[in-house]
Amino acid sequence: DRSPSRGLGDVYKRQEEAKVAIRNVRRDAMDDIKKLKKDNEITEDEQKDGEKKLQDITDDFVKQADSITKKKEEEILSI
């Protein structure tokens, strides 16, 4: 039985998994940036710039995941 509500549950589960994966990558990259600063390989300004760029990229990927979820949700509900 593949009811639309069952399909939506799968979609939402995959969306959350994607967001967790995105956040994990962000966390690892933030740790790398902090380590570079700690080791004096980058300046504080470079650290802040890197963190901002990383957050912007993260936000973009989260928006993409949300957009894909919305399209899939509309697809399922139109069945």
Side-chain angles (χ1 to χ4, degrees):
D1 177 21
R2 296 297 295 172
S3 68
S5 62
R6 169 74 177 130
L8 284 177
D10 291 344
V11 169
Y12 298 140
K13 181 178 181 220
R14 287 177 185 249
Q15 177 190 30
E16 187 54 35
E17 289 170 353
K19 286 182 175 184
V20 168
I22 292 165
R23 287 191 297 263
N24 287 341
V25 170
R26 177 188 58 193
R27 183 194 63 231
D28 292 345
M30 284 287 195
D31 289 346
D32 290 344
I33 290 170
K34 288 176 184 170
K35 183 176 182 341
L36 287 170
K37 172 62 178 97
K38 182 177 178 236
D39 294 344
N40 292 317
E41 294 184 37
I42 61 173
T43 65
E44 192 168 330
D45 285 345
E46 291 170 323
Q47 176 187 3
K48 297 295 178 202
D49 288 346
E51 289 173 350
K52 170 144 183 23
K53 287 177 185 172
L54 181 58
Q55 187 59 50
D56 291 345
I57 292 167
T58 301
D59 292 345
D60 185 50
F61 275 100
V62 168
K63 284 179 191 166
Q64 287 181 42
D66 289 343
S67 175
I68 291 167
T69 298
K70 183 159 181 51
K71 286 178 187 166
K72 200 64 177 168
E73 181 182 70
E74 289 168 359
E75 221 176 270
I76 289 170
L77 292 175
S78 71
I79 294 174

